[in-house]
Amino acid sequence: MQQDGLKLTITPCSSRIGCIVVRLAGTDLHAEITTEWTSSADHLPRLDGFFASVGQLEEGVSKEWLSESQDFALSACLDPHFPGLVFLRVYLGSTSDDDCDWQINGSLLVLPSQVERFAKDLSAI
């Protein structure tokens, strides 16, 4: 959760293994998708591995992750304009072949300790 209340949550689906529900919520925002926690690239870790690797980031270097279905993406970096914070960009979207395509981009500034705790919580799923 960002200090102003914007919050990213990830919980397991009750319907199938490897499935997660991703929510981005704020004052007047609520976006939610059901997706998988495996990456679209074979060389990238599962989602919990991505968050664990964010703790080792160096300034000016970013890490990116994209879900297998490409409806959920993350990017994290240590931005010199926000010392001591992780700049986390979140993309959620529904780009199926129906008439209700949508996309949400959110940005959170969080403490590295929050990211580490989040990674540990995800590894327990």
Side-chain angles (χ1 to χ4, degrees):
M1 178 188 296
Q2 184 171 270
Q3 198 171 34
D4 67 0
L6 185 60
K7 184 176 184 178
L8 172 68
T9 57
I10 300 173
T11 56
C13 292
S14 57
S15 59
R16 65 184 197 267
I17 295 173
C19 172
I20 55 173
V21 176
V22 181
R23 292 180 188 95
L24 191 58
T27 305
D28 288 324
L29 169 73
H30 181 91
E32 179 178 306
I33 61 165
T34 300
T35 191
E36 64 287 326
W37 74 338
T38 53
S39 171
S40 64
D42 293 333
H43 67 282
L44 292 176
R46 287 188 336 178
L47 190 55
D48 57 334
F50 167 81
F51 279 104
S53 72
V54 169
Q56 273 79 80
L57 276 177
E58 296 178 14
E59 191 174 294
V61 177
S62 66
K63 293 252 181 195
E64 296 173 358
W65 190 91
L66 177 64
S67 69
E68 192 170 15
S69 60
Q70 301 183 0
D71 55 2
F72 171 45
L74 296 163
S75 176
C77 69
L78 300 179
D79 190 313
H81 294 92
F82 307 105
L85 297 172
V86 174
F87 185 53
L88 182 65
R89 291 183 198 106
V90 181
Y91 163 82
L92 300 176
S94 171
T95 55
S96 59
D97 292 334
D98 59 18
D99 291 332
C100 65
D101 292 347
W102 57 270
Q103 298 178 0
I104 296 286
N105 291 293
S107 299
L108 294 100
L109 288 170
V110 292
L111 295 169
S113 60
Q114 289 176 286
V115 176
E116 290 172 16
R117 214 172 24 254
F118 199 71
K120 287 178 186 175
D121 291 346
L122 280 176
S123 67
I125 292 179

